[in-house]
Amino acid sequence: MQTITSTADLKKAIQLLEVEQAVNGKKLKLHFYAAYETFSPANLLKSTLKSFTSSPNMIDNVLGTTLGLVAGLASNVLFKGLAGPGLRKVISPALQSGVANFVAKNTGSLRSMGEIALLRIFRNKRVKPRSRD
């Protein structure tokens, strides 16, 4: 910075610094508002859901894990009555874990088989027109 030797130069430098401060203040307010909007709970939730739904790998992983857990719990309920109380405590968690792992590893094939089954169940059957009597 130059050395200020007169009062006119001092006033001019002060005005320049005031203008610079006003510009920087406006920029700071804009950045603060943008950061505030980014970290509001609604926007955090929205951005999290957006990133979650836009990632196909994440959806497949969650679907596979969910299918595995549901299948494991269903197998636990189904196999409860197979053995006595002592053996049930050992077999039931092992079966549940095995079924959950199988389903989690084979999500794609199970999903396609499920879609085929649903299409067969819910396919439109041709309805014969009623005859008028």
Side-chain angles (χ1 to χ4, degrees):
M1 188 164 200
Q2 297 176 355
T3 322
I4 299 174
T5 55
S6 67
T7 57
D9 289 341
L10 179 62
K11 287 182 181 179
K12 193 175 185 181
I14 290 173
Q15 286 177 345
L16 287 174
L17 288 173
E18 286 174 348
V19 169
E20 186 179 340
Q21 181 187 14
V23 169
N24 287 338
K26 286 181 182 179
K27 285 182 182 178
L28 181 64
K29 285 181 183 179
L30 288 175
H31 286 294
F32 175 76
Y33 181 72
Y36 176 77
E37 285 297 313
T38 302
F39 291 113
S40 70
N43 286 336
L44 283 175
L45 184 62
K46 186 191 305 183
S47 65
T48 302
L49 289 175
K50 191 175 189 180
S51 67
F52 179 73
T53 57
S54 66
S55 171
N57 292 335
M58 179 67 80
I59 293 172
D60 288 341
N61 290 341
V62 169
L63 181 64
T65 304
T66 304
L67 284 174
L69 289 173
V70 168
L73 290 173
S75 67
N76 188 19
V77 170
L78 290 174
F79 296 126
K80 261 188 178 177
L82 289 181
L87 193 55
R88 184 185 318 144
K89 290 181 181 178
V90 175
I91 292 177
S92 182
L95 284 174
Q96 182 178 356
S97 177
V99 170
N101 285 335
F102 175 77
V103 171
K105 289 178 182 176
N106 299 312
T107 306
S109 59
L110 291 174
R111 181 191 294 179
S112 63
M113 288 191 311
E115 287 175 358
I116 291 169
L118 287 175
L119 287 174
R120 286 185 181 175
I121 292 171
F122 294 114
R123 70 176 165 199
N124 292 334
K125 296 181 179 178
R126 293 184 183 175
V127 180
K128 294 180 182 177
R130 293 184 188 179
S131 61
R132 295 184 185 183
D133 293 329

